Amino acid sequence: MTSPESTARVAFRTAGRDDLERMVELIADDSVASRRTGSFGPAHVAGFEAIDSSPNDELVVAELDGEVVGVMQLTYIPGIARNGATRLHIEAVRVDARLRGLGIGRLMMEHAHARGRERGCALAQLTSDKQRPDAHRFYRDLGYVQSHEGFKRSL
Amino acid sequence: MTSPESTARVAFRTAGRDDLERMVELIADDSVASRRTGSFGPAHVAGFEAIDSSPNDELVVAELDGEVVGVMQLTYIPGIARNGATRLHIEAVRVDARLRGLGIGRLMMEHAHARGRERGCALAQLTSDKQRPDAHRFYRDLGYVQSHEGFKRSL
């Protein structure tokens, strides 16, 4: 395979309902996330519909030669901290496991940053499970500063 | 002073425009945040208005005996990861520096969790600067798992 590091082969678009099962499959196909994603069902449909109707959330899919190979969720968070900055908050970044290391993830993040700038964001932020050292290197290489501890709690 | 660990003395409400200067003051009054918050100005007003008009964001103030002594921003993020869970995302938690260690922060977090449950959130998440070890202990004591690395990048 030629490297997909070519915008001619990789394209981005807002996800539609028809992409949902594939997106859930991508999110679940991961040693860290598989045990918590669950098999496809009504909860994913409800989650998709809530994102689709939110003015501040969007799901983006990456296509390689027309096939969906990546997904990420972008949330635009307005704020009064950091001099009123709007934040681009990124969740659920996933590239098809068979296609990792080819530069698709980098193109996705560059697309996310461009979308954030379009929405007036001054800052991008994300967290990554401490079990993912390769992802941490990836984000540092993209200019991210590993400045925070990330906390989660069930409600 | 008697301990404020009494719901009779501490009350919560959605912040209004009249609270904005006090909230910015609280957010800036901090060794880590002061250099990035900026003095009060139009950018804070624009940030407040964007939060106020967003269906998924809210600023909450804590009052002690009727005086604003704490602030936090709550964002409800719908999702398709984690079996379609909605996340309660918490930013800019701050208690008046003169009143720390009295239990106000804990009451604020309990209020945040209650709001999250009302909105159907299955998960609460936040990040905390690596320079704040006391805050990390505070969140762990509240049942948070320090499972993620937090990354930020200017856009």
Side-chain angles (χ1 to χ4, degrees):
Chain A
M1 180 190 294
T2 337
S3 160
E5 275 269 23
S6 141
T7 47
R9 296 190 60 196
V10 179
F12 300 95
R13 60 176 172 78
T14 304
R17 173 65 182 82
D18 288 349
D19 300 306
L20 182 55
E21 290 196 53
R22 174 64 173 143
M23 291 190 289
V24 171
E25 179 184 74
L26 283 169
I27 289 170
D29 182 19
D30 176 286
S31 58
V32 175
S34 62
R35 65 181 177 279
R36 65 192 181 207
T37 300
S39 54
F40 183 75
H44 297 105
V45 176
F48 174 81
E49 288 171 352
I51 295 168
D52 205 40
S53 65
S54 165
N56 289 338
D57 290 272
E58 59 191 26
L59 281 164
V60 174
V61 289
E63 291 183 330
L64 174 63
D65 299 337
E67 190 202 342
V68 172
V69 297
V71 62
M72 61 187 171
Q73 180 174 350
L74 309 182
T75 303
Y76 307 103
I77 305 182
I80 59 169
R82 294 178 183 258
N83 203 29
T86 301
R87 296 163 194 251
L88 167 67
H89 181 85
I90 307 172
E91 294 275 359
V93 180
R94 212 74 93 242
V95 174
D96 188 318
R98 297 164 300 175
L99 298 169
R100 286 183 196 151
L102 297 175
I104 297 169
R106 174 176 287 270
L107 292 173
M108 288 173 60
M109 296 301 293
E110 288 169 358
H111 179 79
H113 298 159
R115 284 290 297 133
R117 287 187 202 102
E118 284 171 16
R119 292 280 302 239
C121 298
L123 184 78
Q125 65 181 28
L126 56 89
T127 68
S128 178
D129 198 297
K130 286 181 189 281
Q131 299 171 67
R132 300 191 200 270
D134 291 351
H136 303 165
R137 192 175 320 111
F138 170 74
Y139 292 123
R140 288 193 301 267
D141 286 350
L142 284 165
Y144 281 84
V145 180
Q146 199 170 338
S147 54
H148 284 61
E149 294 289 324
F151 295 83
K152 298 196 191 285
R153 179 193 194 279
S154 295
L155 289 182
Chain B
M1 181 190 291
T2 336
S3 161
E5 275 269 21
S6 144
T7 47
R9 297 191 58 196
V10 179
F12 299 96
R13 61 176 171 78
T14 304
R17 173 64 182 83
D18 288 349
D19 299 305
L20 182 54
E21 291 197 52
R22 174 62 173 145
M23 292 190 289
V24 172
E25 178 184 76
L26 284 169
I27 289 170
D29 183 18
D30 177 287
S31 59
V32 175
S34 61
R35 65 181 178 280
R36 64 191 183 209
T37 300
S39 55
F40 182 76
H44 297 104
V45 176
F48 174 82
E49 288 171 353
I51 295 168
D52 204 41
S53 64
S54 165
N56 290 337
D57 290 271
E58 60 190 26
L59 280 164
V60 174
V61 289
E63 291 183 330
L64 175 64
D65 299 337
E67 189 203 345
V68 172
V69 297
V71 62
M72 60 187 170
Q73 181 174 349
L74 309 181
T75 303
Y76 308 102
I77 304 182
I80 58 169
R82 294 176 183 259
N83 202 28
T86 301
R87 298 164 192 249
L88 168 66
H89 181 86
I90 307 172
E91 294 275 359
V93 180
R94 211 74 94 242
V95 174
D96 189 317
R98 298 164 300 175
L99 298 169
R100 286 185 196 148
L102 297 174
I104 296 170
R106 172 175 289 269
L107 292 173
M108 287 174 61
M109 296 302 294
E110 289 170 355
H111 178 79
H113 298 158
R115 284 291 296 133
R117 287 187 199 100
E118 284 171 16
R119 290 281 301 238
C121 298
L123 183 79
Q125 65 181 26
L126 57 90
T127 68
S128 178
D129 197 298
K130 286 183 190 280
Q131 300 172 66
R132 301 192 200 270
D134 292 351
H136 304 167
R137 190 176 319 112
F138 170 73
Y139 292 123
R140 287 193 303 267
D141 287 350
L142 284 165
Y144 281 84
V145 181
Q146 199 168 338
S147 53
H148 284 59
E149 293 290 325
F151 295 83
K152 297 196 192 283
R153 179 193 193 279
S154 296
L155 289 181

